[in-house]
Amino acid sequence: MDEDERQTRQELMILDALIQAMDRRDEVFQMIEDSEDGDEAVRRVGQLLGVGELGSRAVLDLQARRFTREQRRGIASRAEELRSKLPDGR
């Protein structure tokens, strides 16, 4: 895997985590609220969504104003664009 493909896959992984979080916002917000601190929130959100630390941190860094349908469509569109660049499409 070359560096461009690695970066594409990493960005796609983050975007997929954000899309999942947007689709499961109530559960994500509850996990964050129930967490004692930021590290626990990262772990719990990661477990909920089945994503690694990088994806989980991206979810926690997402501003609430980005949870709109328009923003989700934009993120999903970018994810599809990235998928189309990958040899296996995922």
Side-chain angles (χ1 to χ4, degrees):
M1 174 180 336
D2 66 14
E3 183 62 21
D4 285 342
E5 183 177 343
R6 189 193 67 72
Q7 287 180 346
T8 298
R9 289 187 184 282
Q10 184 173 357
E11 183 179 352
L12 183 56
M13 182 268 311
I14 290 169
L15 294 174
D16 285 341
L18 296 178
I19 291 167
Q20 281 190 75
M22 291 172 157
D23 290 347
R24 299 176 70 183
R25 73 188 75 206
D26 292 338
E27 294 169 90
V28 169
F29 288 146
Q30 190 64 55
M31 282 290 156
I32 295 168
E33 182 181 335
D34 291 346
S35 297
E36 188 66 34
D37 57 29
D39 289 338
E40 182 179 352
V42 168
R43 281 191 307 277
R44 293 181 75 173
V45 168
Q47 289 171 346
L48 174 70
L49 301 177
V51 299
E53 184 176 345
L54 187 61
S56 186
R57 287 192 184 282
V59 168
L60 288 169
D61 290 343
L62 187 65
Q63 296 176 358
R65 66 183 174 86
R66 303 251 346 241
F67 275 81
T68 65
R69 285 188 292 265
E70 177 184 37
Q71 290 289 319
R72 190 201 179 283
R73 282 191 300 269
I75 291 170
S77 176
R78 175 68 178 150
E80 286 306 310
E81 178 185 328
L82 292 174
R83 270 190 194 83
S84 72
K85 293 179 178 182
L86 294 173
D88 61 0
R90 15 177 210 141

